[in-house]
Amino acid sequence: MNQQTAQTDEHHPSPARLAGVVRQGGRAVAIAQVLSQFVSLAVLAVLLRLLGPDPFGLIGMVLPLLLLGRTLTAWGLPMASVQQRTLSHHQATSLFWITLALGLFLGAAIAALAPLVAWFYGRHELLALTLMLAATAPLYAVGLQHQALLERKLHLAQLTWSRLAAQALGGIAAVVVAIGANTGWQVAAVAALVVQQYVELLALAVLVWWLDDWRPGRPRRGENLGDMLRFGTNYTASGFVFTLEQQLDKVLVGLLLGTRALGLYGQAFNVMMKPVLLTSTALTGMMFPALSRARDDRGTFAAWVVAFNRVVAILLLPAGAGLAVVAPETMWLLGGSEWQAAGPLLAALAGVILVRGFINIAGSVLAAVGRTDRLLRGALALVVGMLPGVLLGWVLGNYWEQPLLGLACGYAVTYVAMLFPGYLVYVLRGADVSVGDWWDAVRRPLVAAVAMGAVVALAKSALLFAIPAAGPLPRLIILLAIGGLTYAALARDELRWLVAQWRTPSSANRT
Protein backbone atom coordinates (compact mmCIF):
# COMPACT_ATOMS: atom_id res chain seq x y z
CA MET A 1 0.00 0.00 0.00
CA ASN A 2 2.72 2.50 0.98
CA GLN A 3 4.69 1.89 -2.20
CA GLN A 4 1.65 2.41 -4.40
CA THR A 5 0.63 5.48 -2.50
CA ALA A 6 4.00 7.15 -2.85
CA GLN A 7 4.25 6.49 -6.60
CA THR A 8 1.97 9.27 -7.72
CA ASP A 9 1.85 11.20 -10.98
CA GLU A 10 3.53 8.56 -13.11
CA HIS A 11 1.31 9.71 -15.95
CA HIS A 12 1.27 13.09 -17.60
CA PRO A 13 -2.26 14.52 -17.76
CA SER A 14 -3.29 16.67 -20.67
CA PRO A 15 -3.35 20.46 -20.15
CA ALA A 16 -7.17 20.45 -20.21
CA ARG A 17 -7.43 17.69 -17.60
CA LEU A 18 -4.72 19.28 -15.47
CA ALA A 19 -6.53 22.62 -15.68
CA GLY A 20 -9.73 20.97 -14.49
CA VAL A 21 -8.01 19.36 -11.50
CA VAL A 22 -6.32 22.63 -10.56
CA ARG A 23 -9.57 24.60 -10.89
CA GLN A 24 -11.50 22.12 -8.79
CA GLY A 25 -8.94 22.23 -6.02
CA GLY A 26 -8.39 25.94 -6.51
CA ARG A 27 -11.96 26.86 -5.64
CA ALA A 28 -11.70 25.10 -2.29
CA VAL A 29 -8.24 26.56 -1.72
CA ALA A 30 -9.50 30.08 -2.39
CA ILE A 31 -12.39 29.71 0.05
CA ALA A 32 -10.14 28.17 2.70
CA GLN A 33 -7.55 30.93 2.27
CA VAL A 34 -10.18 33.62 2.78
CA LEU A 35 -11.32 31.87 5.95
CA SER A 36 -7.70 31.41 6.99
CA GLN A 37 -6.99 35.13 6.81
CA PHE A 38 -10.26 35.88 8.61
CA VAL A 39 -9.26 33.51 11.44
CA SER A 40 -5.76 34.96 11.49
CA LEU A 41 -7.01 38.54 11.73
CA ALA A 42 -9.56 37.66 14.40
CA VAL A 43 -6.93 35.91 16.53
CA LEU A 44 -4.45 38.72 15.92
CA ALA A 45 -6.97 41.37 16.97
CA VAL A 46 -7.65 39.56 20.26
CA LEU A 47 -3.96 38.99 20.99
CA LEU A 48 -2.99 42.57 20.10
CA ARG A 49 -5.47 43.87 22.65
CA LEU A 50 -4.60 41.32 25.33
CA LEU A 51 -0.81 41.39 25.08
CA GLY A 52 0.31 44.77 23.71
CA PRO A 53 3.41 45.40 21.56
CA ASP A 54 6.22 44.17 23.85
CA PRO A 55 5.51 40.40 23.77
CA PHE A 56 5.25 40.54 19.98
CA GLY A 57 8.56 42.37 19.94
CA LEU A 58 10.24 39.71 22.10
CA ILE A 59 9.08 36.78 20.00
CA GLY A 60 9.91 38.83 16.90
CA MET A 61 13.53 38.80 18.02
CA VAL A 62 13.60 34.99 18.00
CA LEU A 63 11.42 34.54 14.91
CA PRO A 64 14.15 35.20 12.29
CA LEU A 65 16.26 32.37 13.75
CA LEU A 66 13.24 30.03 13.79
CA LEU A 67 12.30 30.80 10.20
CA LEU A 68 15.86 30.34 8.98
CA GLY A 69 15.94 27.03 10.84
CA ARG A 70 12.71 25.89 9.20
CA THR A 71 14.08 26.75 5.78
CA LEU A 72 17.13 24.58 6.44
CA THR A 73 14.99 21.82 7.95
CA ALA A 74 12.99 21.48 4.74
CA TRP A 75 16.16 21.66 2.59
CA GLY A 76 13.89 22.08 -0.44
CA LEU A 77 13.10 18.36 -0.31
CA PRO A 78 9.28 18.71 -0.14
CA MET A 79 9.44 20.93 -3.24
CA ALA A 80 11.75 18.39 -4.90
CA SER A 81 9.19 15.67 -4.14
CA VAL A 82 6.50 17.67 -5.92
CA GLN A 83 8.72 18.69 -8.84
CA GLN A 84 9.92 15.17 -9.71
CA ARG A 85 8.09 13.31 -12.48
CA THR A 86 8.22 10.05 -10.51
CA LEU A 87 8.70 9.35 -6.82
CA SER A 88 9.06 5.87 -5.34
CA HIS A 89 8.11 4.79 -1.85
CA HIS A 90 11.75 4.26 -0.93
CA GLN A 91 12.72 7.72 -2.21
CA ALA A 92 9.90 9.31 -0.18
CA THR A 93 11.05 7.35 2.87
CA SER A 94 14.62 8.56 2.49
CA LEU A 95 13.43 12.16 2.11
CA PHE A 96 11.30 11.83 5.26
CA TRP A 97 14.19 10.59 7.42
CA ILE A 98 16.60 13.18 6.02
CA THR A 99 14.12 15.95 6.80
CA LEU A 100 13.49 14.66 10.32
CA ALA A 101 17.24 14.38 11.00
CA LEU A 102 17.71 17.96 9.82
CA GLY A 103 14.87 19.08 12.08
CA LEU A 104 16.42 17.45 15.13
CA PHE A 105 19.85 18.86 14.33
CA LEU A 106 18.54 22.39 13.77
CA GLY A 107 16.41 22.26 16.90
CA ALA A 108 19.56 21.49 18.88
CA ALA A 109 21.42 24.25 17.02
CA ILE A 110 18.73 26.82 17.85
CA ALA A 111 18.89 25.82 21.51
CA ALA A 112 22.68 26.16 21.47
CA LEU A 113 22.36 29.65 19.97
CA ALA A 114 19.96 30.84 22.71
CA PRO A 115 22.69 32.59 24.77
CA LEU A 116 23.93 34.35 21.62
CA VAL A 117 20.42 35.62 20.82
CA ALA A 118 20.05 37.00 24.34
CA TRP A 119 23.48 38.67 24.13
CA PHE A 120 22.87 40.10 20.64
CA TYR A 121 19.72 41.97 21.70
CA GLY A 122 20.77 42.54 25.29
CA ARG A 123 17.59 40.89 26.66
CA HIS A 124 18.04 38.07 29.17
CA GLU A 125 14.43 36.90 28.64
CA LEU A 126 15.38 35.71 25.17
CA LEU A 127 17.48 32.85 26.56
CA ALA A 128 14.45 31.00 27.95
CA LEU A 129 12.23 32.03 25.03
CA THR A 130 14.65 30.68 22.41
CA LEU A 131 15.04 27.42 24.33
CA MET A 132 11.26 27.04 24.54
CA LEU A 133 10.88 27.48 20.79
CA ALA A 134 13.80 25.28 19.70
CA ALA A 135 11.73 22.08 19.54
CA THR A 136 9.45 23.61 16.89
CA ALA A 137 12.10 22.68 14.29
CA PRO A 138 11.71 18.87 14.55
CA LEU A 139 7.95 19.23 15.03
CA TYR A 140 7.81 21.23 11.80
CA ALA A 141 9.78 18.46 10.04
CA VAL A 142 7.38 15.67 11.02
CA GLY A 143 4.61 16.73 8.63
CA LEU A 144 6.62 18.07 5.69
CA GLN A 145 6.80 14.93 3.54
CA HIS A 146 3.08 14.23 3.91
CA GLN A 147 2.28 17.81 2.91
CA ALA A 148 4.48 17.36 -0.17
CA LEU A 149 2.69 14.13 -1.12
CA LEU A 150 -0.70 15.82 -0.82
CA GLU A 151 0.52 18.63 -3.08
CA ARG A 152 2.02 16.15 -5.52
CA LYS A 153 -1.30 14.36 -5.84
CA LEU A 154 -3.01 17.76 -6.26
CA HIS A 155 -5.07 17.17 -3.11
CA LEU A 156 -4.90 20.91 -2.64
CA ALA A 157 -8.23 21.35 -0.91
CA GLN A 158 -7.50 18.74 1.76
CA LEU A 159 -4.10 20.26 2.49
CA THR A 160 -5.45 23.81 2.70
CA TRP A 161 -8.32 22.86 4.98
CA SER A 162 -5.95 20.99 7.27
CA ARG A 163 -3.72 24.08 7.49
CA LEU A 164 -6.77 26.19 8.28
CA ALA A 165 -7.87 23.81 11.04
CA ALA A 166 -4.37 23.77 12.55
CA GLN A 167 -4.19 27.56 12.40
CA ALA A 168 -7.55 27.88 14.16
CA LEU A 169 -6.55 25.45 16.90
CA GLY A 170 -3.28 27.30 17.46
CA GLY A 171 -5.08 30.61 17.62
CA ILE A 172 -7.65 29.35 20.10
CA ALA A 173 -4.92 27.95 22.33
CA ALA A 174 -3.02 31.25 22.22
CA VAL A 175 -6.10 33.26 23.16
CA VAL A 176 -6.90 30.93 26.07
CA VAL A 177 -3.37 31.25 27.44
CA ALA A 178 -3.35 35.02 26.86
CA ILE A 179 -6.57 35.44 28.82
CA GLY A 180 -5.19 33.42 31.71
CA ALA A 181 -1.71 34.96 31.68
CA ASN A 182 -0.60 37.80 33.90
CA THR A 183 0.03 40.33 31.11
CA GLY A 184 2.11 42.45 33.46
CA TRP A 185 4.83 39.79 33.21
CA GLN A 186 6.20 39.74 29.68
CA VAL A 187 7.45 36.14 29.69
CA ALA A 188 4.00 34.89 30.75
CA ALA A 189 2.38 36.93 28.01
CA VAL A 190 4.84 35.62 25.43
CA ALA A 191 3.90 32.08 26.50
CA ALA A 192 0.63 32.52 24.59
CA LEU A 193 2.58 33.08 21.38
CA VAL A 194 4.80 30.08 22.12
CA VAL A 195 1.80 27.82 22.68
CA GLN A 196 0.32 29.04 19.41
CA GLN A 197 3.41 27.81 17.52
CA TYR A 198 3.39 24.35 19.09
CA VAL A 199 -0.34 23.67 18.84
CA GLU A 200 -0.50 24.74 15.19
CA LEU A 201 2.49 22.63 14.12
CA LEU A 202 1.35 19.57 16.09
CA ALA A 203 -2.21 19.79 14.77
CA LEU A 204 -0.99 20.13 11.18
CA ALA A 205 1.31 17.12 11.48
CA VAL A 206 -1.51 14.97 12.89
CA LEU A 207 -3.95 16.05 10.19
CA VAL A 208 -1.67 15.47 7.18
CA TRP A 209 -0.64 12.04 8.50
CA TRP A 210 -4.33 11.22 8.79
CA LEU A 211 -5.20 12.53 5.31
CA ASP A 212 -2.42 10.68 3.44
CA ASP A 213 -2.00 6.99 4.28
CA TRP A 214 1.63 6.83 3.15
CA ARG A 215 3.95 5.76 5.96
CA PRO A 216 7.75 5.87 5.89
CA GLY A 217 9.67 2.62 6.01
CA ARG A 218 13.04 2.03 7.54
CA PRO A 219 15.83 4.27 6.28
CA ARG A 220 18.03 2.59 3.68
CA ARG A 221 20.96 3.48 1.48
CA GLY A 222 21.27 3.33 -2.27
CA GLU A 223 18.23 5.39 -3.29
CA ASN A 224 18.67 7.64 -6.31
CA LEU A 225 18.27 11.02 -4.66
CA GLY A 226 20.99 12.93 -6.49
CA ASP A 227 18.70 15.11 -8.64
CA MET A 228 16.38 15.89 -5.74
CA LEU A 229 19.24 16.72 -3.39
CA ARG A 230 20.77 19.07 -5.97
CA PHE A 231 17.37 20.68 -6.52
CA GLY A 232 16.83 20.90 -2.78
CA THR A 233 20.26 22.40 -2.11
CA ASN A 234 19.75 25.25 -4.56
CA TYR A 235 16.16 25.75 -3.46
CA THR A 236 17.20 25.76 0.20
CA ALA A 237 19.95 28.27 -0.45
CA SER A 238 17.52 30.60 -2.23
CA GLY A 239 14.89 30.05 0.48
CA PHE A 240 17.46 30.80 3.17
CA VAL A 241 18.41 34.05 1.45
CA PHE A 242 14.76 35.00 0.90
CA THR A 243 14.01 34.35 4.58
CA LEU A 244 17.04 36.42 5.55
CA GLU A 245 15.87 39.22 3.26
CA GLN A 246 12.39 39.16 4.81
CA GLN A 247 13.75 39.21 8.38
CA LEU A 248 16.73 41.58 8.22
CA ASP A 249 14.58 44.68 8.64
CA LYS A 250 13.02 43.18 11.78
CA VAL A 251 16.45 42.30 13.16
CA LEU A 252 17.58 45.87 12.59
CA VAL A 253 14.47 47.30 14.27
CA GLY A 254 14.89 45.07 17.31
CA LEU A 255 18.60 45.80 17.57
CA LEU A 256 18.42 49.55 16.99
CA LEU A 257 15.05 50.50 18.48
CA GLY A 258 14.00 47.80 20.98
CA THR A 259 11.10 45.46 21.66
CA ARG A 260 8.21 47.93 21.55
CA ALA A 261 9.34 49.33 18.21
CA LEU A 262 9.74 45.80 16.85
CA GLY A 263 6.28 44.88 18.12
CA LEU A 264 4.74 47.86 16.30
CA TYR A 265 6.75 47.40 13.13
CA GLY A 266 6.43 43.61 13.06
CA GLN A 267 2.65 43.63 13.36
CA ALA A 268 2.26 46.46 10.83
CA PHE A 269 4.35 44.32 8.48
CA ASN A 270 2.26 41.28 9.40
CA VAL A 271 -1.00 43.07 8.57
CA MET A 272 0.49 44.34 5.29
CA MET A 273 1.37 40.76 4.35
CA LYS A 274 -2.12 39.39 5.05
CA PRO A 275 -3.55 40.09 1.57
CA VAL A 276 -0.25 39.03 -0.02
CA LEU A 277 -0.30 35.69 1.77
CA LEU A 278 -4.01 35.25 1.14
CA THR A 279 -3.38 35.47 -2.60
CA SER A 280 0.12 34.08 -3.09
CA THR A 281 -0.23 31.10 -0.74
CA ALA A 282 -3.37 29.94 -2.53
CA LEU A 283 -1.81 30.46 -5.95
CA THR A 284 1.57 28.87 -5.24
CA GLY A 285 -0.18 25.83 -3.81
CA MET A 286 -1.74 25.40 -7.27
CA MET A 287 1.04 26.88 -9.39
CA PHE A 288 3.99 24.74 -8.47
CA PRO A 289 2.48 21.26 -9.01
CA ALA A 290 0.58 22.46 -12.10
CA LEU A 291 3.52 24.27 -13.73
CA SER A 292 5.84 21.37 -12.91
CA ARG A 293 3.63 19.12 -15.02
CA ALA A 294 3.09 21.68 -17.79
CA ARG A 295 6.75 22.68 -18.16
CA ASP A 296 7.29 20.52 -21.28
CA ASP A 297 4.47 22.34 -23.09
CA ARG A 298 6.01 25.80 -23.41
CA GLY A 299 2.87 27.46 -24.76
CA THR A 300 0.70 26.21 -21.91
CA PHE A 301 3.39 26.97 -19.35
CA ALA A 302 3.83 30.59 -20.46
CA ALA A 303 0.09 31.17 -20.68
CA TRP A 304 -0.42 29.86 -17.16
CA VAL A 305 2.38 31.99 -15.74
CA VAL A 306 0.84 35.13 -17.25
CA ALA A 307 -2.63 34.11 -16.07
CA PHE A 308 -1.47 33.53 -12.49
CA ASN A 309 0.25 36.94 -12.49
CA ARG A 310 -2.93 38.52 -13.78
CA VAL A 311 -4.84 37.05 -10.85
CA VAL A 312 -2.26 38.56 -8.47
CA ALA A 313 -2.67 41.96 -10.13
CA ILE A 314 -6.46 41.93 -9.96
CA LEU A 315 -6.55 40.96 -6.28
CA LEU A 316 -3.50 42.63 -4.74
CA LEU A 317 -3.05 45.96 -6.52
CA PRO A 318 -6.31 47.41 -5.14
CA ALA A 319 -5.46 45.99 -1.70
CA GLY A 320 -2.17 47.89 -1.68
CA ALA A 321 -3.66 51.14 -2.95
CA GLY A 322 -6.56 51.01 -0.51
CA LEU A 323 -4.60 49.95 2.56
CA ALA A 324 -2.20 52.85 2.11
CA VAL A 325 -5.16 55.19 2.69
CA VAL A 326 -7.01 53.37 5.48
CA ALA A 327 -3.97 52.06 7.41
CA PRO A 328 -4.58 54.14 10.58
CA GLU A 329 -8.20 53.01 10.80
CA THR A 330 -7.16 49.38 10.19
CA MET A 331 -4.62 49.29 13.01
CA TRP A 332 -7.07 50.99 15.38
CA LEU A 333 -9.73 48.41 14.54
CA LEU A 334 -7.35 45.51 15.15
CA GLY A 335 -5.46 46.66 18.22
CA GLY A 336 -7.12 49.71 19.68
CA SER A 337 -5.47 52.92 20.77
CA GLU A 338 -2.29 51.19 22.00
CA TRP A 339 -1.46 50.28 18.39
CA GLN A 340 -2.23 53.63 16.74
CA ALA A 341 1.49 54.30 16.31
CA ALA A 342 1.58 51.36 13.89
CA GLY A 343 -0.87 53.11 11.53
CA PRO A 344 1.72 55.29 9.72
CA LEU A 345 4.04 52.28 9.50
CA LEU A 346 1.32 50.24 7.82
CA ALA A 347 0.58 53.10 5.43
CA ALA A 348 4.25 53.25 4.43
CA LEU A 349 4.53 49.48 4.02
CA ALA A 350 1.26 49.13 2.07
CA GLY A 351 3.06 50.00 -1.16
CA VAL A 352 5.01 46.74 -0.85
CA ILE A 353 1.76 44.88 -1.53
CA LEU A 354 1.94 46.22 -5.09
CA VAL A 355 5.00 44.06 -5.80
CA ARG A 356 5.35 41.42 -3.07
CA GLY A 357 2.73 39.08 -4.50
CA PHE A 358 4.55 38.91 -7.83
CA ILE A 359 7.84 38.23 -6.04
CA ASN A 360 6.28 35.47 -3.93
CA ILE A 361 4.91 33.52 -6.90
CA ALA A 362 8.08 34.01 -8.96
CA GLY A 363 9.83 31.31 -6.96
CA SER A 364 7.29 28.73 -8.11
CA VAL A 365 7.84 29.73 -11.73
CA LEU A 366 11.62 29.21 -11.65
CA ALA A 367 11.44 26.13 -9.42
CA ALA A 368 8.92 24.47 -11.75
CA VAL A 369 11.42 24.61 -14.63
CA GLY A 370 14.26 23.49 -12.37
CA ARG A 371 16.05 26.87 -12.38
CA THR A 372 16.72 27.00 -8.65
CA ASP A 373 20.21 28.27 -9.44
CA ARG A 374 18.68 31.34 -11.04
CA LEU A 375 16.28 31.69 -8.12
CA LEU A 376 19.24 31.76 -5.73
CA ARG A 377 21.01 34.51 -7.66
CA GLY A 378 17.82 36.57 -7.70
CA ALA A 379 17.37 36.15 -3.95
CA LEU A 380 20.93 37.31 -3.34
CA ALA A 381 20.33 40.39 -5.48
CA LEU A 382 17.22 41.26 -3.46
CA VAL A 383 18.91 40.97 -0.06
CA VAL A 384 21.99 42.91 -1.18
CA GLY A 385 19.82 45.66 -2.66
CA MET A 386 17.36 45.83 0.23
CA LEU A 387 19.78 46.35 3.11
CA PRO A 388 21.26 49.73 2.01
CA GLY A 389 17.77 51.11 1.33
CA VAL A 390 16.55 50.15 4.80
CA LEU A 391 19.62 51.62 6.49
CA LEU A 392 19.33 54.84 4.47
CA GLY A 393 15.67 55.10 5.49
CA TRP A 394 16.65 54.68 9.14
CA VAL A 395 19.34 57.37 8.85
CA LEU A 396 16.95 59.84 7.20
CA GLY A 397 14.27 58.95 9.73
CA ASN A 398 16.67 59.75 12.56
CA TYR A 399 17.28 63.13 10.98
CA TRP A 400 13.53 63.81 11.03
CA GLU A 401 13.18 62.20 14.51
CA GLN A 402 11.08 59.35 13.06
CA PRO A 403 13.59 56.47 12.75
CA LEU A 404 11.01 53.68 12.69
CA LEU A 405 8.87 55.37 10.05
CA GLY A 406 11.98 56.20 8.04
CA LEU A 407 13.04 52.55 8.06
CA ALA A 408 9.58 51.47 6.88
CA CYS A 409 9.62 54.03 4.07
CA GLY A 410 13.13 52.98 3.07
CA TYR A 411 12.04 49.35 2.85
CA ALA A 412 8.96 50.16 0.75
CA VAL A 413 10.65 52.58 -1.67
CA THR A 414 13.60 50.26 -2.21
CA TYR A 415 11.37 47.33 -3.06
CA VAL A 416 8.79 49.04 -5.23
CA ALA A 417 10.95 51.47 -7.18
CA MET A 418 14.39 49.85 -7.26
CA LEU A 419 14.37 46.07 -6.81
CA PHE A 420 11.13 44.79 -8.27
CA PRO A 421 11.39 45.88 -11.94
CA GLY A 422 14.78 44.24 -12.48
CA TYR A 423 13.82 41.12 -10.53
CA LEU A 424 10.64 40.66 -12.55
CA VAL A 425 12.47 40.85 -15.89
CA TYR A 426 15.10 38.46 -14.56
CA VAL A 427 12.48 35.85 -13.54
CA LEU A 428 10.37 36.07 -16.69
CA ARG A 429 13.37 35.75 -18.99
CA GLY A 430 14.62 32.79 -16.99
CA ALA A 431 11.29 31.05 -17.58
CA ASP A 432 11.01 32.12 -21.26
CA VAL A 433 7.89 34.20 -20.60
CA SER A 434 7.33 37.47 -22.44
CA VAL A 435 7.66 40.64 -20.37
CA GLY A 436 5.24 42.31 -22.79
CA ASP A 437 2.62 39.63 -22.15
CA TRP A 438 3.05 40.16 -18.41
CA TRP A 439 2.56 43.91 -18.76
CA ASP A 440 -0.53 43.47 -20.93
CA ALA A 441 -1.99 41.28 -18.20
CA VAL A 442 -1.40 43.67 -15.28
CA ARG A 443 -1.66 47.21 -16.68
CA ARG A 444 -5.44 47.43 -16.60
CA PRO A 445 -5.75 46.30 -12.96
CA LEU A 446 -2.90 48.69 -12.10
CA VAL A 447 -4.63 51.70 -13.62
CA ALA A 448 -7.91 50.79 -11.93
CA ALA A 449 -6.21 50.32 -8.54
CA VAL A 450 -4.35 53.65 -8.69
CA ALA A 451 -7.55 55.46 -9.66
CA MET A 452 -9.45 53.74 -6.85
CA GLY A 453 -6.77 54.73 -4.33
CA ALA A 454 -7.09 58.37 -5.41
CA VAL A 455 -10.88 58.25 -5.04
CA VAL A 456 -10.62 56.72 -1.55
CA ALA A 457 -8.04 59.33 -0.49
CA LEU A 458 -10.32 62.15 -1.64
CA ALA A 459 -13.29 60.54 0.12
CA LYS A 460 -11.29 60.27 3.34
CA SER A 461 -10.32 63.94 3.19
CA ALA A 462 -13.95 64.87 2.60
CA LEU A 463 -15.11 62.75 5.55
CA LEU A 464 -12.52 64.23 7.90
CA PHE A 465 -13.58 67.72 6.86
CA ALA A 466 -17.35 67.17 6.83
CA ILE A 467 -17.68 64.79 9.81
CA PRO A 468 -14.58 65.31 11.97
CA ALA A 469 -16.23 63.57 14.94
CA ALA A 470 -16.77 60.31 13.02
CA GLY A 471 -14.81 57.47 14.60
CA PRO A 472 -12.32 55.19 12.81
CA LEU A 473 -14.77 52.29 12.47
CA PRO A 474 -17.58 54.08 10.59
CA ARG A 475 -14.98 55.89 8.50
CA LEU A 476 -13.32 52.59 7.60
CA ILE A 477 -16.66 51.01 6.63
CA ILE A 478 -17.56 53.94 4.38
CA LEU A 479 -14.15 54.05 2.72
CA LEU A 480 -14.09 50.29 2.10
CA ALA A 481 -17.50 50.51 0.44
CA ILE A 482 -16.41 53.43 -1.74
CA GLY A 483 -13.18 51.67 -2.69
CA GLY A 484 -14.88 48.39 -3.49
CA LEU A 485 -17.56 49.95 -5.67
CA THR A 486 -15.03 52.15 -7.46
CA TYR A 487 -12.71 49.27 -8.27
CA ALA A 488 -15.61 47.05 -9.35
CA ALA A 489 -16.67 49.73 -11.83
CA LEU A 490 -13.19 50.49 -13.16
CA ALA A 491 -11.98 46.88 -13.37
CA ARG A 492 -15.20 45.18 -14.37
CA ASP A 493 -13.66 43.43 -17.40
CA GLU A 494 -10.82 42.08 -15.27
CA LEU A 495 -13.24 40.84 -12.63
CA ARG A 496 -15.32 39.12 -15.31
CA TRP A 497 -12.17 37.37 -16.51
CA LEU A 498 -11.38 36.29 -12.96
CA VAL A 499 -14.85 34.82 -12.52
CA ALA A 500 -14.42 32.97 -15.81
CA GLN A 501 -11.22 31.38 -14.51
CA TRP A 502 -13.13 30.21 -11.47
CA ARG A 503 -15.93 28.65 -13.49
CA THR A 504 -14.34 27.39 -16.70
CA PRO A 505 -11.60 24.75 -16.59
CA SER A 506 -10.64 25.29 -20.22
CA SER A 507 -9.97 28.97 -19.61
CA ALA A 508 -6.64 28.17 -17.98
CA ASN A 509 -4.92 28.66 -21.29
CA ARG A 510 -6.35 32.09 -21.92
CA THR A 511 -4.73 35.30 -20.86
Side-chain angles (χ1 to χ4, degrees):
M1 177 187 70
N2 289 345
Q3 189 166 355
Q4 293 176 347
T5 304
Q7 288 177 333
T8 58
D9 299 320
E10 301 296 326
H11 61 287
H12 301 285
S14 67
R17 182 178 179 276
L18 184 57
V21 173
V22 172
R23 284 303 182 290
Q24 185 177 8
R27 285 190 282 268
V29 169
I31 294 171
Q33 279 298 316
V34 171
L35 292 175
S36 173
Q37 294 306 313
F38 176 80
V39 170
S40 176
L41 283 172
V43 170
L44 179 63
V46 175
L47 294 177
L48 288 178
R49 293 171 182 270
L50 287 174
L51 302 180
D54 286 323
F56 286 97
L58 276 174
I59 201 166
M61 291 175 172
V62 184
L63 194 59
L65 181 61
L66 293 181
L67 294 178
L68 289 170
R70 290 180 188 179
T71 300
L72 294 176
T73 296
W75 202 259
L77 298 180
M79 297 292 281
S81 298
V82 177
Q83 197 258 359
Q84 288 292 299
R85 288 184 173 88
T86 61
L87 182 71
S88 71
H89 166 71
H90 295 305
Q91 287 175 321
T93 291
S94 297
L95 294 175
F96 171 83
W97 289 112
I98 290 171
T99 302
L100 183 58
L102 286 169
L104 291 168
F105 172 78
L106 288 162
I110 291 170
L113 289 171
L116 182 61
V117 174
W119 169 82
F120 181 77
Y121 288 107
R123 298 295 299 260
H124 64 88
E125 306 100 314
L126 294 176
L127 175 61
L129 181 58
T130 306
L131 290 172
M132 284 192 291
L133 288 166
T136 59
L139 185 57
Y140 173 71
V142 170
L144 280 177
Q145 189 59 38
H146 283 77
Q147 293 180 61
L149 291 175
L150 288 169
E151 273 194 43
R152 182 176 175 82
K153 298 169 188 176
L154 294 176
H155 294 169
L156 307 175
Q158 290 180 330
L159 180 57
T160 304
W161 285 110
S162 65
R163 287 171 175 166
L164 172 61
Q167 179 190 45
L169 290 171
I172 292 170
V175 170
V176 170
V177 174
I179 291 173
N182 176 10
T183 56
W185 182 31
Q186 287 185 346
V187 174
V190 170
L193 304 178
V194 174
V195 168
Q196 184 179 23
Q197 295 274 329
Y198 276 101
V199 171
E200 182 172 342
L201 290 173
L202 177 60
L204 180 58
V206 170
L207 286 170
V208 295
W209 276 67
W210 175 65
L211 288 170
D212 194 295
D213 61 359
W214 176 82
R215 296 294 180 265
R218 294 181 179 179
R220 52 185 286 182
R221 296 182 180 181
E223 295 303 326
N224 182 19
L225 301 176
D227 289 342
M228 283 186 280
L229 290 174
R230 282 189 291 273
F231 177 97
T233 299
N234 281 330
Y235 192 85
T236 297
S238 61
F240 184 89
V241 175
F242 270 120
T243 303
L244 186 64
E245 166 262 317
Q246 292 176 30
Q247 298 301 319
L248 268 179
D249 55 329
K250 287 83 170 177
V251 172
L252 289 172
V253 171
L255 182 63
L256 298 172
L257 301 172
T259 54
R260 183 172 181 82
L262 180 55
L264 293 169
Y265 180 88
Q267 293 314 305
F269 194 97
N270 185 23
V271 173
M272 177 274 291
M273 287 295 292
K274 292 295 182 185
V276 175
L277 294 176
L278 170 62
T279 302
S280 63
T281 302
L283 285 179
T284 53
M286 295 181 285
M287 280 180 68
F288 184 65
L291 292 178
S292 295
R293 285 151 185 76
R295 65 182 181 269
D296 294 328
D297 184 341
R298 301 307 302 168
T300 299
F301 181 88
W304 282 22
V305 170
V306 172
F308 280 124
N309 276 272
R310 189 175 179 181
V311 173
V312 169
I314 293 170
L315 296 177
L316 282 186
L317 295 182
L323 189 58
V325 179
V326 300
E329 289 81 5
T330 301
M331 287 308 304
W332 179 90
L333 177 65
L334 289 174
S337 58
E338 192 173 6
W339 290 86
Q340 282 184 338
L345 303 177
L346 179 57
L349 292 169
V352 179
I353 297 174
L354 302 176
V355 302
R356 191 76 223 189
F358 299 114
I359 293 175
N360 281 13
I361 68 170
S364 293
V365 175
L366 290 177
V369 294
R371 294 303 309 273
T372 50
D373 57 334
R374 193 174 181 90
L375 183 60
L376 173 58
R377 291 193 295 271
L380 287 169
L382 286 180
V383 73
V384 169
M386 180 271 293
L387 188 57
V390 170
L391 289 173
L392 179 60
W394 175 70
V395 170
L396 294 176
N398 268 315
Y399 178 78
W400 294 103
E401 298 182 349
Q402 291 285 344
L404 190 56
L405 182 58
L407 191 147
C409 290
Y411 182 91
V413 171
T414 301
Y415 252 102
V416 177
M418 298 174 60
L419 298 179
F420 173 68
Y423 183 76
L424 174 71
V425 173
Y426 173 82
V427 169
L428 293 179
R429 287 181 177 174
D432 293 326
V433 177
S434 167
V435 177
D437 289 345
W438 181 91
W439 174 246
D440 287 340
V442 305
R443 60 182 174 83
R444 287 182 292 272
L446 177 61
V447 171
V450 171
M452 181 215 72
V455 169
V456 174
L458 290 173
K460 181 175 180 178
S461 298
L463 283 173
L464 291 172
F465 176 78
I467 319 175
L473 180 58
R475 188 163 61 245
L476 180 62
I477 293 172
I478 294 171
L479 293 175
L480 288 177
I482 292 172
L485 292 173
T486 302
Y487 186 71
L490 295 175
R492 55 187 178 278
D493 292 338
E494 299 302 301
L495 294 172
R496 289 194 191 103
W497 176 87
L498 187 61
V499 172
Q501 304 309 292
W502 180 282
R503 292 178 176 174
T504 311
S506 61
S507 63
N509 296 322
R510 294 187 228 134
T511 60

